[in-house]
Amino acid sequence: QVQLVESGGGLVQAGGSLRLSCAASGGTLRSYVMGWFRQAPGKEREFVARINWSGSSTYYADSVKGRFTISRDNAKNTVYLQMNSLKPEDTAVYSCAAGRTVWDTRPSEYTYWGQGTQVTVSS
């Protein structure tokens, strides 16, 4: 059973940066596709980014492309989301997730989820 714990969220002004981390325990992340999702109040969970097991392939939502970067360090069992040029509309709870077979951006493709970390961007 893999447990995921996110950290690094907080309050930042528009245009600022944050780096989220997702640390795993109870198992290795080496064989998992890792994804980041976010959910704003009153809205559905939204795909943000994903990375394959080796880190050689990444995919981003159009809304964050060019501003966010997903990466992973399998030796540290950790996945990161570097968020630059943050906008107020990026405000949400950000969660990481792990899945073995991921073909799309649907949350249902992921097996393990973290509790999430709050990101608030002020204007």
Side-chain angles (χ1 to χ4, degrees), residues 18-33:
L18 282 174
R19 188 195 196 202
L20 305 184
S21 297
C22 171
S25 61
T28 177
L29 293 182
R30 291 183 185 273
S31 58
Y32 289 93
V33 172

Side-chain angles (χ1 to χ4, degrees), residues 13 21-22 29 38-39 45 49-50 53 55-56 60 62 71 73-74 78 83 85 88 94-95 100 104 110 117 121-122:
Q13 289 188 330
S21 297
C22 171
L29 293 182
R38 67 187 182 186
Q39 188 166 21
R45 183 173 283 172
R50 71 166 182 257
W53 69 273
S56 63
Y60 298 91
D62 287 342
S71 62
D73 186 337
N74 286 337
T78 303
M83 305 186 295
S85 303
Y94 285 71
S95 300
R100 289 196 182 273
D104 207 328
Y110 293 82
T117 184
V121 185
S122 63

Side-chain angles (χ1 to χ4, degrees), residues 52-71:
N52 71 340
W53 69 273
S54 66
S56 63
S57 176
T58 57
Y59 182 74
Y60 298 91
D62 287 342
S63 58
V64 307
K65 199 173 297 182
R67 300 188 298 122
F68 290 11
T69 302
I70 188 171
S71 62

